[in-house]
Amino acid sequence: MRGLIGEDILTEEGEFIINMGPQHPSTHGVLHLKIWLDGETVKRIQPNLGYIHRSIEKMSESLSYRNFIFATSRMDYLAAHVNNEACALTVEKGLQLEVPQRAKVIRTILSELTRLQSHQLWWGCTGLDLGGVTPFFYAFREREAIMEIFEETCGARLTQNYMVPGGIMYDVHPNFQKRVKDVMIQIKGKFEEYDNIMTGNVILENRLKGVGYLSKEDALSYGVTGPTARASGLSCDLRKSNPYSAYDQVQFDEILDTGGDCYARYMVRMREMRQSVSIIEQLIDNIPEGDFQAKTKNVIKLPKGEFYQRVETPRGELGVFIVSDGAASPYRIKYRSPGFSNLSALPIMAKGGKIGDLVAIMATIDLVIPDIDR
Amino acid sequence: MFLKEYFGTIYKSVKSLLIGMKVTGYYFTHLKEIQTEEYPDNRATLKMFDRFKGEVVMPHDENNEHRCTGCQACEIACPNGTIKIITKQEILADGKKKKRIDTFVYRLDLCTMCNLCVVACPSDAIVMAQNFEHSVYDKKQLKKILNNPDSKLMAGVE
């Protein structure tokens, strides 16, 4: 009996090695976990990456500062707007360019819509992973309405490429405001339905409560960010601490929970959705008139130096680091993606738990594999 | 005390399941609220949004004239090398030599619909079309020539 990579599948200590993935329905993509099991108890986990590596960082080195942004839509495909915004903000930082107020507000609205639809998809997939198919369809119903906003204004549903250095690519569609308001009313009415169908459910509570505990200290030392860290009580919302775009003009709460288990992570995301709706409602009536894009030169050249900008994606902190040598394309680009750091904390969360709980933990970290492995 | 807790848990559990089933039951009896788009069957009525990015096309007017001057701004703007413009020298009526496009090659198989070429075009020669059914039997068919045969540059476009 030989394992896939030439090791015995039974170790000397009597532990059983299995490979979960790369094709596994609950890993949401090509994540490969090598798991050491004692009976049904997880002893050790080793994530293996590389199955969906497209070398986006290396590719960007040969593209101009306008062109490299499109590839980031394919990193975290559920948060393309936020990824594009992060790149655009970094280039603007290098150019010391002031973005028109209108573009800032529209960027913020679209980012929050992205967060809403991403959390809705996560909510549906969590239900699916835990054995309930119904939530998936309920989540997609409201998500589809947001997707239509994106489709009408940006022309695409997932890979929008709408944020460009200097602002947004073209002005919003005339129907934008009306459609967003309608969708917000629709979604607000459905939160109660979400809670009825999943949050209070006894099966869900039994599967999530006390499972996959992550302490505040571990969250900090592993660099965990986003709702996963906030559920452990770690305050890390960049929208609050380092506001970018129009986040300094809106009132919202940073959602914190002290539970640290899967249920806390679930509740943090559910409450964050309501905050996103509140942010959008504050901004949608106050989109200032004016230019939607600042004037930029035909060929953008960043001055020599290093530029870093971080934003809060639905999954955590995305950092874009550009090293420029003064040429028309970046010398080096590094993305600090939220999924990679969050995945690194998975082994300590799942250690000592059952293999069935591992699926629940993976669901509540909200992994997007192309984001982990760029 | 133990019994009270035991039955209390059962009561709460059954109640939470019933609340969930109530939502399902509501939609089971309200068929009009179900939203399903039956895609291949609704082809006749399906209309994409005006801005939907399906593929790059070059509009021609009734005289078979386009607006592309062959400046290659789109070729430079494209991140993937999707567009290749082959130009030729044309002798105009007044004897001057001018650069005109010979073929505008567009490779749909490389295109990511990022819209950068359309934004970069100074003379609005290319636009995004709403067609999204791109599957073909041979991948050679995905390499398209956008300018019509014998098409001319529209008068007044420089």
Side-chain angles (χ1 to χ4, degrees):
Chain A
M1 287 217 290
R2 307 291 290 178
L4 273 179
I5 45 175
E7 286 173 66
D8 284 325
I9 57 165
L10 212 56
T11 62
E12 281 168 13
E13 294 86 41
E15 287 168 358
F16 188 58
I17 305 172
I18 65 158
N19 293 289
M20 191 169 175
Q23 273 92 32
H24 190 273
S26 71
T27 56
H28 297 248
V30 281
L31 176 65
H32 175 198
L33 297 176
K34 203 172 161 197
I35 308 170
W36 280 257
L37 289 173
D38 179 15
E40 222 185 312
T41 311
V42 176
K43 287 283 172 194
R44 212 178 121 198
I45 294 181
Q46 185 190 336
N48 280 350
L49 303 178
Y51 292 96
I52 191 161
H53 188 75
R54 295 145 296 166
S55 73
I56 288 177
E57 286 174 8
K58 189 71 191 167
M59 206 167 76
S60 303
E61 289 171 18
S62 59
L63 295 172
S64 76
Y65 284 109
R66 244 182 251 284
N67 288 5
F68 80 97
I69 296 177
F70 89 99
T72 57
S73 306
R74 280 122 187 118
M75 274 162 42
D76 186 349
Y77 50 82
L78 293 175
H81 270 312
V82 189
N83 293 355
N84 296 345
E85 188 183 6
C87 297
L89 284 169
T90 319
V91 175
E92 282 152 15
K93 207 178 213 178
L95 292 172
Q96 294 181 328
L97 192 72
E98 186 56 38
V99 180
Q101 192 61 28
R102 182 178 176 83
K104 280 185 181 176
V105 171
I106 291 169
R107 275 181 180 183
T108 311
I109 293 172
L110 287 170
S111 295
E112 285 310 307
L113 283 172
T114 305
R115 195 180 314 280
L116 254 179
Q117 61 92 3
S118 171
H119 281 359
Q120 275 167 345
L121 185 91
W122 159 83
W123 180 79
C125 286
T126 300
L128 202 63
D129 287 349
L130 300 179
V133 184
T134 322
F136 194 68
F137 296 107
Y138 287 90
F140 263 71
R141 183 185 52 194
E142 273 78 60
R143 186 170 177 271
E144 193 58 33
I146 297 178
M147 281 291 144
E148 273 180 12
I149 298 173
F150 289 163
E151 208 178 330
E152 192 175 42
T153 287
C154 319
R157 294 159 63 86
L158 287 176
T159 53
Q160 291 102 352
N161 194 34
Y162 189 59
M163 316 275 184
V164 292
I168 49 178
M169 196 179 252
Y170 29 78
D171 210 352
V172 287
H173 198 272
N175 290 348
F176 179 73
Q177 271 175 311
K178 189 185 168 296
R179 202 178 266 272
V180 171
K181 277 185 209 162
D182 289 350
V183 170
M184 284 309 116
I185 291 166
Q186 185 195 345
I187 285 176
K188 267 201 292 186
K190 299 294 182 194
F191 281 142
E192 198 191 349
E193 211 167 70
Y194 287 9
D195 285 343
N196 284 346
I197 212 163
M198 278 256 287
T199 310
N201 192 292
V202 60
I203 302 169
L204 183 97
E205 285 188 0
N206 284 342
R207 285 293 303 268
L208 296 187
K209 272 188 179 163
V211 170
Y213 179 72
L214 179 72
S215 68
K216 190 177 175 181
E217 288 71 33
D218 280 338
L220 196 60
S221 64
Y222 278 83
V224 178
T225 46
T228 314
R230 288 199 281 281
S232 300
L234 182 66
S235 166
C236 61
D237 199 333
L238 293 173
R239 297 175 291 167
K240 265 285 195 243
S241 57
N242 299 53
Y244 53 94
S245 290
Y247 283 113
D248 47 355
Q249 301 164 20
V250 287
Q251 300 290 320
F252 64 100
D253 298 332
E254 180 179 2
I255 307 295
L256 284 175
D257 205 315
T258 48
D261 59 351
C262 286
Y263 194 71
R265 292 194 275 278
Y266 176 87
M267 287 312 288
V268 164
R269 287 208 174 82
M270 293 305 280
R271 285 160 66 198
E272 253 183 28
M273 278 200 252
R274 289 173 167 88
Q275 290 299 323
S276 291
V277 172
S278 142
I279 292 174
I280 294 166
E281 281 182 336
Q282 286 173 48
L283 288 175
I284 191 66
D285 282 323
N286 305 319
I287 302 179
E289 295 293 322
D291 287 342
F292 56 86
Q293 201 179 349
K295 284 259 182 304
T296 46
K297 283 183 184 160
N298 245 349
V299 179
I300 296 177
K301 278 186 183 170
L302 255 59
K304 205 170 178 181
E306 297 171 356
F307 309 100
Y308 185 71
Q309 172 70 40
R310 45 192 196 156
V311 297
E312 183 79 19
T313 77
R315 263 151 285 281
E317 176 184 326
L318 172 76
V320 180
F321 182 61
I322 296 181
V323 183
S324 168
D325 57 354
S329 51
Y331 178 74
R332 175 81 169 90
I333 281 193
K334 163 81 182 132
Y335 297 113
R336 183 254 182 242
S337 71
F340 187 83
S341 307
N342 291 0
L343 176 72
S344 68
L346 175 70
I348 55 157
M349 280 190 237
K351 199 177 176 187
K354 297 276 183 273
I355 193 166
D357 293 340
L358 177 63
V359 175
I361 296 166
M362 277 200 291
T364 50
I365 310 179
D366 194 11
L367 296 172
V368 167
I369 314 303
D371 181 43
I372 297 166
D373 197 12
R374 302 170 291 283
Chain B
M1 200 61 211
F2 171 73
L3 271 182
K4 201 177 165 190
E5 203 178 301
Y6 180 74
F7 285 108
T9 316
I10 291 180
Y11 171 73
K12 263 204 288 191
S13 308
V14 172
K15 194 183 157 197
S16 79
L17 292 175
L18 285 177
I19 289 172
M21 286 306 287
K22 204 177 135 191
V23 179
T24 316
Y26 175 80
Y27 286 103
F28 194 69
T29 50
H30 292 68
L31 292 174
K32 272 185 186 164
E33 290 194 33
I34 296 174
Q35 299 165 350
T36 317
E37 205 166 301
E38 291 167 355
Y39 160 57
D41 299 333
N42 69 352
R43 255 191 190 150
T45 53
L46 182 69
K47 194 181 171 300
M48 303 307 286
F49 291 110
D50 295 338
R51 288 186 183 179
F52 181 76
K53 298 184 274 196
E55 63 171 326
V56 176
V57 292
M58 187 185 283
H60 287 66
D61 68 359
E62 62 276 7
N63 303 326
N64 201 16
E65 288 177 338
H66 57 75
R67 298 175 64 89
C68 180
T69 58
C71 69
Q72 294 175 321
C74 50
E75 197 176 325
I76 297 162
C78 181
N80 308 313
T82 308
I83 295 170
K84 181 100 185 91
I85 297 174
I86 301 162
T87 54
K88 61 181 175 188
Q89 293 292 331
E90 212 172 68
I91 299 160
L92 298 182
D94 53 355
K96 276 182 190 166
K97 272 188 179 175
K98 272 279 183 189
K99 196 172 82 172
R100 292 284 181 263
I101 59 162
D102 184 41
T103 38
F104 189 108
V105 183
Y106 168 62
R107 293 193 59 175
L108 184 56
D109 47 350
L110 292 178
C111 186
T112 59
M113 320 297 168
C114 65
N115 210 34
L116 287 169
C117 55
V118 177
V119 172
C121 184
S123 55
D124 300 328
I126 44 175
V127 291
M128 280 283 178
Q130 279 71 50
N131 171 33
F132 60 93
E133 292 166 335
H134 293 311
S135 48
V136 285
Y137 284 105
D138 187 0
K139 70 177 178 186
K140 279 178 193 156
Q141 290 172 340
L142 292 172
K143 192 175 173 182
K144 297 180 177 183
I145 293 170
L146 293 190
N147 54 328
N148 289 353
D150 299 328
S151 58
K152 286 264 180 311
L153 178 67
M154 207 177 279
V157 182
E158 270 314 313

